[in-house]
Amino acid sequence: QVQLVESGGGLVQPGGSLRLSCVASGFTLDYYAIGWFRQAPGKEREAVSCASRGDGRTYYADSVKGRFTISRDNAKKTMYLQMNSLKPEDTAIYYCAADDRFNICQLRSTRYNNWGRGTQVTVSS
């Protein structure tokens, strides 16, 4: 059974950092493109970042470029999202996603079949 479980969310002050983790079970993470998405109250789910399988090419939403870094440790079956210089507008529920149907990762949530349940990130003073 494919399962993704996020952790690492919490309350942080503006300018602070958090690292989100997403542990995969039931499948080999190496063969999957991965992504992080977020959804703020009253807004649609939006892409944050993704990483392709194979060459590991990464992509970022303009709003997080230079502040967030996506990575993975296939041996630990874990993907990460390092978030620095956090802003109040980063407040949202963050979800990890994975799919093995494409090599190049996608920044569209509708392309992913496997999702975690989310972890809350709140940026506030």
Side-chain angles (χ1 to χ4, degrees), residues 1-4 23-29 31-32 77 100 114:
Q1 180 182 358
V2 173
Q3 190 173 17
L4 295 168
V23 179
S25 60
F27 65 99
T28 303
L29 190 60
Y31 302 142
Y32 283 67
K77 292 190 172 183
D100 64 349
N114 305 297

Side-chain angles (χ1 to χ4, degrees), residues 2-73:
V2 173
Q3 190 173 17
L4 295 168
V5 179
E6 303 96 335
S7 63
L11 173 64
V12 63
Q13 292 186 342
S17 298
L18 282 175
R19 188 176 80 157
L20 304 183
S21 299
C22 175
V23 179
S25 60
F27 65 99
T28 303
L29 190 60
D30 314 38
Y31 302 142
Y32 283 67
I34 60 174
W36 285 96
F37 296 80
R38 66 187 182 187
Q39 188 165 16
K43 294 188 176 181
E44 293 187 354
R45 190 169 297 188
E46 65 174 3
V48 175
S49 178
C50 71
S52 303
R53 66 181 182 183
D55 64 6
R57 200 176 309 179
T58 58
Y59 300 89
Y60 296 90
D62 288 343
S63 59
V64 306
K65 277 181 184 175
R67 300 189 297 123
F68 290 11
T69 303
I70 189 172
S71 62
R72 70 164 93 196
D73 185 331

